[in-house]
Amino acid sequence: ESVLQVTAAQLKGSVLRGGEAEWCFLLKNYCNDDDAKISWEKICSGESEVTEDVILRDIVADVFPAVEICGSRMTGFVEAGVELTTGMKIADGAGNGLVVIADTYQIGDNLDLNEKISKLAELTVTSKVEGSLRTVGSGAEVYSHPLKSLTWLVNHLLKCGESDTLLMLAGKHVMTGTCTGLDGFKEGEIFE
């Protein structure tokens, strides 16, 4: 367990709204790996729809628990207590203020990546504010499994002709959606 203090400067002018517990995939970097480069190029060719098996085998390097700290640049609305509509949230950059990614993740002893990812939907994910349980969820909240969410994203980018955007994700972390929903908390409160 660790505690991270988020400062107003880190939110870059956003008003703190809360946090979301998520799974975050690290995607393979093809820069120094010829096999990975061939896999990325084949996927980005868009020749066929990409399956979860292909995503797992060719794109995913690892998975980590993460927290998205949600903020809003629509400070006037937030401070007045106005509930932001979906359109307002999209216009606000989806409310992302900051992401905190764990540096390690262990499920059981010596599980390989496939076994680790297979368990994401069934694992219980909780969020607490000031030590009080707020939400209980699981990876199944994310499109029934976080890997399905990542697979949808890859296929959506390819369908929209955004293979260059997809290639820019190589070596990067990709959040797949909240397992717990948005849990509101205020500056100074502890979210875990």
Side-chain angles (χ1 to χ4, degrees):
E1 239 179 79
S2 60
V3 175
L4 173 74
Q5 183 175 359
V6 179
T7 65
Q10 288 172 301
L11 289 173
K12 297 180 173 77
S14 293
V15 174
L16 178 65
R17 294 183 54 234
E20 298 176 344
E22 304 193 19
W23 290 109
C24 177
F25 288 97
L26 173 62
L27 304 187
K28 290 179 182 175
N29 191 339
Y30 59 81
C31 292
N32 299 318
D33 183 337
D34 289 337
D35 290 337
K37 184 173 184 176
I38 291 167
S39 295
W40 274 96
E41 287 172 350
K42 184 175 180 185
I43 289 166
C44 288
S45 72
E47 294 172 11
S48 61
E49 187 157 312
V50 181
T51 65
E52 290 174 35
D53 290 338
V54 170
I55 296 288
L56 186 55
R57 182 188 69 229
D58 294 342
I59 291 183
V60 174
D62 209 343
V63 63
F64 303 92
V67 171
E68 178 181 355
I69 306 296
C70 301
S72 176
R73 289 167 287 285
M74 296 186 169
T75 56
F77 291 108
V78 173
E79 290 169 352
V82 173
E83 181 66 31
L84 300 180
T85 65
T86 300
M88 293 168 81
K89 291 174 186 175
I90 292 169
D92 192 26
N96 180 285
L98 184 70
V99 172
V100 181
I101 302 169
D103 60 357
T104 185
Y105 176 57
Q106 297 290 82
I107 303 176
D109 293 327
N110 303 318
L111 293 180
D112 71 13
L113 182 61
N114 292 351
E115 293 170 314
K116 190 163 51 167
I117 289 175
S118 73
K119 296 185 177 299
L120 296 182
E122 66 192 50
L123 287 174
T124 299
V125 178
T126 60
S127 62
K128 298 177 184 178
V129 176
E130 292 293 299
S132 177
L133 183 65
R134 283 280 182 91
T135 310
V136 177
S138 73
E141 304 292 329
V142 185
Y143 209 47
S144 79
H145 193 288
L147 186 61
K148 286 185 182 200
S149 177
L150 180 60
T151 304
W152 176 88
L153 174 64
V154 167
N155 283 308
H156 179 73
L157 289 172
L158 292 173
K159 182 179 174 186
C160 293
E162 295 288 337
S163 58
D164 288 344
T165 302
L166 181 58
L167 278 173
M168 289 184 347
L169 296 176
K172 305 267 189 320
H173 290 89
V174 176
M175 306 287 281
T176 54
T178 180
C179 299
T180 58
L182 174 65
D183 288 305
F185 62 92
K186 298 178 184 128
E187 192 173 329
E189 291 183 322
I190 296 174
F191 177 77
E192 51 185 310

